[in-house]
Amino acid sequence: MGLQLKQKSILPGFGLALGFTILYLSLLVLIPLSATFLKASSLSWEQFWHIAASRRAVASYELSYGASAIAATINLFFGLVVAWVLIRYDFPGKRLFDSLVDLPFALPTAVAGIALTTIYAPNGWIGHALAPLGIASAYSRLGVVIALTFTGLPFVVRTVQPVLEDLDKEMEEAAASLGANRWQTITKILLPAVMPAAATGFSMAFARAVGEYGSVVFISGNMPLKTEITPLLIITKLEQYDYAGATAIAVVMLISSFVLLLAINLLQAWSGGRLKRAHGGELPEIVEAGAPS
Amino acid sequence: MASITFPNPGLPAAAHATHATTERGWVRWTLIAVAVTFLGVFLFLPLAVVFSSALEKGFAVYLAALREPDAMAAIKLTLIAAGIAVPLNMVFGVAAAWAIGKFEFTGKSLLVTLIDLPFSVSPVVSGLVYVLIFGLQGLLGPWLAAHDIKVIFAVPGIVLATIFVTFPFVARELIPLVEAQGTEEEEAAITLGASGFQTFWRVTLPNIKWGLLYGVILCNARAMGEFGAVSVVSGHIRGRTNTMPLHIEILYNEYQFAPAFAVASLLALLALATLLAKTVVEWKARQQAAELEPRSGEAL
C-alpha cells in the first residue's frame, strides 16, 4: 500500500490516526466483507449459478430492483417538487415540513414497517379506501413500492435543495429579460442545473431501496416468487441453515451495490463539477455588466 | 447580488422582476399542495398511526407493555449495543477525520470510499458477514465453539452488527468539516509549543464540536433502530437477545398490536428527538460558520 505523506506536515498523530483508521476499518468491515467472497469461492461456478440464477432468486431480483426503480422515480418527481417548494415558496408550517423530510433516516425501519402496514392494510386508514377500488396496497407488490418510497424519500430532496439554494436568480432574470417565458426558464435553465444532483439523489434512493429489509417485510406479505425481496430470500436461506445459498445471493447483492456506489461517486463528481461551473460561469457577470447603472 | 434596475421610474420594477422569477399564484399553490400532500401521506400518517395505535387500548396498556420484563430486557440490550457501538465509531470517526482531513497522502480517496462502504451494503448482508465468520459453520466457528465463546445469537454479535451499520456516520460528518478548516490554526498552536493532544483538545475540537455532535446523534438513532442486520445475528431469544426493533417484530407477528406500537412509540420519540437535535445543531453550526467567516476571509 502506498499510504505515505505527499507533503511534510508539522502536525503530529498522522501515523497513529491513520493506523487506527485502517486497523478498525479492516477488522470490522473489510475482512468480514472478504469473508463473504471467500465463502462464496468454496462453491463451484455451476453451484453458484444454480443458486444465484434460480427461479426464486431471479423473481426476487426483479421485485427488489423493479420496485426500487419505481420508488426512486416517484421520489425523483416528488423530491424535485418538495425541494422547489421548500426553497422558493413560503407557507405555514414550512420549517416543520423541512425538518420532517429526514424522518425516514431517523425512524427505525421496523417502526416504519408496522406503521405503513397498519395504514395500508385492508382495514387501515388508506387501505380501506383503496380496497373497494380493487387495489390491494398491503401484502402486494404495491406495498413494497410504498415502503421503498418512504425509505428513499429524503435523498432527492436533500441533494437538490442546496443546488437550488445556490442558483443565482440572475440567471433566471437574464432568461426572462431575453424573452423566455417561465416554463422555458424552468426547463432550459433550472432543470439542467439541478439534473446532476437529482440523478445523484435518485441513485442513492435506488441503492438504499435495493438493500432495504425492515420497512418492507411487514407490508410485502413475503410470498416466494411474488412478493419476496432479495434480502428476505437471504434471511430465509439462513433460517434453513443454507449458508452457501445465502452467501451466493449476498455476493450478487454486494457486487451490484459496489457498482451502484461507483456510479454514485461518478455522479457526485459530475454534479460537483456542474456546480463549480455554475458559480464560476460567466452568465451572472454578463448580466451585471449589461444592467444599466 | 446585483439586481437589474429599470430606467423607467413609472414601471413597477420590483413586481416585474418577481413575476419573471416565480410562478403564477395558482401554480405556486398547486405545487405547495402536491408537496404537502406527499409529505403528509408519507411522513405524518406513519407517525400519527404509531402514536394512535400505541394508545388505542388506553394508557394503562401502554405502560404495561413498556414495563413487561421482555420489553425492559429489549430496551436494556438496545441501550447496551448503542452504548458500545456509538463511542467506538465516534473515536474512529475522529481518528479518520484527523488523518484524512489534516494530511495529504496517496490512496486518500480510496480510503474515504471504503469508509462509506457499509452504507451501500444491505443490512441483511451486514449481519450475514459476521455469521459467516463467527457462526457455527463460520471461519472461526469451530475454534469459538471449542472455547465456549458465543458471538452469534448473543450480545457480541449484536454489537458487531450495530457497529457495522453505523460505521460511517461520524467519519463522513467530520471529514469534510476538518478538511475545510485547514491546518493553519493547528500549525500555529504546535509552533507556539502546544502538545498534539492540547492542540486537538483546544483548537480542533471546538471547531468541529457541532459536526461531531450531529454525527453522534445520527449514529445513535441508527444504532438503536437497526433491524435487518441485528435480526440476522440475534437468534431472537426472548428476554436475552432481542433488541427493541426485534421485540416489536415479535409482538406484531403475535397480533399484539397495541404493545408492539407502544414499544415502537419509544423509538418514534427517539426519531423525533433526533430530528429536533439535528435542526438545533444545524442552526448552531451555521451560527459558528458565520462567526468564523471573517477570519477565513482574512486568511485568504
Side-chain angles (χ1 to χ4, degrees), chain A residues 16-32:
Chain A
L16 181 69
L18 187 69
F20 177 71
T21 301
I22 292 177
L23 180 73
Y24 190 75
L25 176 72
S26 308
L27 281 180
L28 283 153
V29 177
L30 301 181
I31 294 172

Side-chain angles (χ1 to χ4, degrees), chain B residues 29-49:
Chain B
W29 286 109
T30 312
L31 287 175
I32 291 175
V34 168
V36 166
T37 311
F38 179 70
L39 296 181
V41 167
F42 276 96
L43 303 179
F44 274 105
L45 271 192
L47 269 183
V49 90

